[in-house]
Amino acid sequence: MHFRRYDSRSMQASATLDQRRRVLRAALASLAALGGSTLLRDARGGVCSSPESLFGNGFEASAVGSGSGCVLIPSETQGPYPLLSVLSQPGMQRYDITEGRAGIPLLLELRLLNLSNGCQPIEGAALYLWHCDKDGVYSGYSQPGSNTVGQTFCRGIQFSDCNGVVRLLTLYPGWYAGRITHLHFQVYLNVAGSVTATSQLALPQAVTQAVYASPLYLARGQNTSVTSFAQDNVFSDGVERQMLNIEGSVGGGYLATIDIGVAL
């Protein structure tokens, strides 16, 4: 499988602050517009800065450097719905991966660090992220109660900038029977598509429960199939190195950050 990189510099360079705000409002009107310095540029040419603030409505957070520390990310199964065929699709290199799907906005800032080189940032790595929508449905597969073959919502690829940071805008994932709330990702370091890391990310239970009690998620409600990380078949051995640091609110959206250590 060849993993091709598509250069989005010209598109991103032309984006204005108002355009970025329209993208975020389209995802969900309650999410505040991103600040001018936070637009992700191509890792091989463009602006690369560590933003002091991501939001202009009082939702303030320092994204870079607020992760869990420089430790090796545990290797986990890719699960039953990886849809690796999307890796060769140019449209999958994108910032907003919601495809208009309803849900509380979740802005991800994932920093890749090289444990073999003093925890230096990894620039130019491709990160593929995927997860289920608010109703627990994955795109691209026929699954109980839903057939989404041909769809690609809640999937996307981005390249790390000079700080090692990958930024993706998505929605807070829902749940399905047998698993606690989670997100999947893979890291690729070369154009041949050789995967360097496969793992999963966890979300704090208190935040998840608040989200599932909100109007958008209330119809499905709380996850009663797996009520703790200890009961989950992936996270039962611990989630300390995979737990996202989250700030925000149900009404304003969430910012989630983590440092992902990779041994190259």
Side-chain angles (χ1 to χ4, degrees):
M1 164 101 44
H2 287 278
F3 189 81
R4 182 179 177 185
R5 177 172 183 165
Y6 295 84
D7 193 344
S8 59
R9 281 176 289 179
S10 59
M11 176 188 69
Q12 291 174 325
S14 64
T16 65
L17 178 59
D18 287 340
Q19 287 172 326
R20 293 198 295 278
R21 284 176 173 163
R22 283 198 294 270
V23 169
L24 292 176
R25 281 198 295 266
L28 190 66
S30 61
L31 180 63
L34 284 175
S37 66
T38 64
L39 179 63
L40 178 64
R41 304 293 187 185
D42 183 274
R44 292 186 181 176
V47 176
C48 182
S49 61
S50 299
E52 294 181 358
S53 173
L54 292 174
F55 296 89
N57 69 338
F59 178 13
E60 307 292 331
S62 175
V64 179
S66 58
S68 61
C70 187
V71 294
L72 183 66
I73 192 75
S75 179
E76 304 289 5
T77 175
Q78 67 182 9
Y81 304 117
L83 200 65
L84 299 181
S85 60
V86 302
L87 295 177
S88 60
Q89 298 179 18
M92 294 308 296
Q93 184 185 334
R94 54 189 182 175
Y95 168 68
D96 183 343
I97 68 172
T98 63
E99 294 190 3
R101 219 74 175 176
I104 292 175
L106 179 65
L107 177 60
L108 295 166
E109 297 253 347
L110 315 176
R111 184 169 65 167
L112 305 180
L113 302 174
N114 184 358
L115 272 70
S116 302
N117 186 28
C119 293
Q120 290 299 304
I122 301 173
E123 179 180 359
L127 186 142
Y128 170 40
L129 180 115
W130 72 97
H131 62 85
C132 66
D133 69 4
K134 73 176 182 66
D135 298 313
V137 176
Y138 282 90
S139 62
Y141 290 87
S142 178
Q143 54 219 280
S146 184
N147 185 346
T148 61
V149 172
Q151 300 182 54
T152 57
F153 58 83
C154 298
R155 299 178 185 275
I157 301 162
Q158 273 290 10
F159 286 81
S160 56
D161 65 16
C162 61
N163 293 310
V165 176
V166 172
R167 297 180 177 92
L168 290 161
L169 176 66
T170 187
L171 56 89
Y172 205 98
W175 62 274
Y176 54 93
R179 283 301 315 275
I180 206 163
T181 307
H182 63 283
L183 304 95
H184 298 263
F185 73 90
Q186 290 184 331
V187 177
Y188 297 81
L189 293 181
N190 57 61
V191 294
S194 177
V195 63
T196 300
T198 300
S199 193
Q200 300 184 27
L201 300 173
L203 301 103
Q205 278 289 74
V207 176
T208 297
Q209 290 165 2
V211 168
Y212 292 170
S214 68
L216 275 174
Y217 294 74
L218 193 58
R220 186 158 178 80
Q222 303 295 329
N223 184 355
T224 57
S225 69
V226 180
T227 58
S228 70
F229 294 113
Q231 296 176 348
D232 188 69
N233 60 15
V234 170
F235 296 134
S236 59
D237 57 350
V239 294
E240 292 79 9
R241 290 179 287 171
Q242 296 157 275
M243 180 65 70
L244 287 164
N245 300 279
I246 293 189
E247 298 184 48
S249 66
V250 167
Y254 291 97
L255 166 68
T257 65
I258 192 170
D259 288 340
I260 297 172
V262 180
L264 302 184

